[in-house]
């Protein structure tokens, strides 16, 4: 994970030989979304064109995990494995909707997600049934917290 403040590079892939290809454009997600829907074709668009002279410097930084608390939580879920990424995903979806519905502030979202990760039972090697149950239980837990 890398922070790119100018938001020009939307994605990058590094190949086995070390070379990197990047999808670049203006800081606007319409073009990457259009390509996702039209893949493998490239559709003509009237979107503004990127001009390198308007962006003479592209910078990259390591993320500050205290500032980006959700990223730190995601790393924790990946490290723990099992059903933890499932809990994270379900909790994130509930909290994004709660934020959009103005039930929580943006800065409060990580704390709720972390609470769900602490509350829901950890399963080291979940099967599909366990993941479906984890997803349902996580959503119910946070919906109950948000509505009480």
């Amino acid at each position: 994970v890398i922070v790119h403040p100018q938001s020009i590079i939307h994605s990058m892939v590094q190949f086995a030989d070390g070379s990197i290809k990047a999808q670049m454009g203006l800081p606007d997600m319409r073009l990457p979304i259009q390509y996702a829907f039209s893949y493998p074709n490239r559709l003509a668009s009237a979107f503004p064109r990127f001009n390198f002279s308007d962006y003479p410097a592209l910078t990259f930084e390591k993320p500050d995990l205290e500032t980006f608390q959700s990223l730190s939580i995601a790393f924790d879920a990946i490290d723990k494995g099992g059903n933890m990424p499932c809990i994270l995903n379900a909790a994130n979806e509930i909290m994004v909707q709660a934020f959009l519905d103005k039930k929580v502030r943006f800065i409060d979202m990580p704390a709720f997600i972390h609470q769900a990760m602490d509350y829901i039972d950890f399963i080291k090697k979940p099967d599909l049934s366990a993941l479906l149950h984890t997803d349902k239980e996580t959503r119910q837990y946070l919906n109950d917290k948000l509505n009480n």
Side-chain angles (χ1 to χ4, degrees):
V1 174
I2 193 160
V3 176
H4 170 49
Q6 296 81 23
S7 300
I8 299 301
I9 298 177
H10 297 287
S11 62
M12 294 187 287
V13 176
Q14 187 169 41
F15 294 91
D17 65 359
S19 65
I20 298 173
K21 288 188 178 183
Q23 193 282 320
M24 301 171 64
L26 292 171
D28 180 334
M29 289 305 293
R30 291 178 298 168
L31 183 58
I33 291 168
Q34 175 183 290
Y35 181 58
F37 284 130
S38 64
Y39 178 84
N41 301 311
R42 296 277 183 176
L43 302 178
S45 76
F47 300 142
R49 300 302 194 226
F50 179 77
N51 182 339
F52 277 94
S53 62
D54 292 338
Y55 296 87
L58 301 179
T59 60
F60 305 91
E61 306 163 5
K62 290 183 179 182
D64 173 355
L65 296 180
E66 288 185 33
T67 300
F68 299 104
Q69 292 177 25
S70 293
L71 184 56
S72 180
I73 292 169
F75 284 149
D76 291 344
I78 291 168
D79 289 342
K80 190 158 187 182
N83 66 335
M84 200 56 64
C86 179
I87 297 168
L88 170 69
N89 181 72
N92 183 65
E93 288 182 5
I94 293 300
M95 295 316 303
V96 167
Q97 190 60 55
F99 169 72
L100 293 173
D101 292 342
K102 299 184 184 340
K103 290 182 179 179
V104 296
R105 299 177 308 161
F106 183 80
I107 62 172
D108 296 328
M109 294 168 61
F112 279 93
I113 294 169
H114 192 39
Q115 287 172 22
M117 291 170 68
D118 285 343
Y119 179 82
I120 303 299
D121 289 334
F122 175 70
I123 304 169
K124 186 174 179 108
K125 293 187 178 184
D127 59 12
L128 178 59
S129 176
L131 291 172
L132 292 171
H133 177 75
T134 295
D135 181 85
K136 182 178 179 180
E137 186 179 16
T138 303
R139 291 171 190 277
Q140 185 64 53
Y141 169 75
L142 282 175
N143 279 320
D144 288 350
K145 284 189 78 69
L146 292 166
N147 293 319
N148 288 330

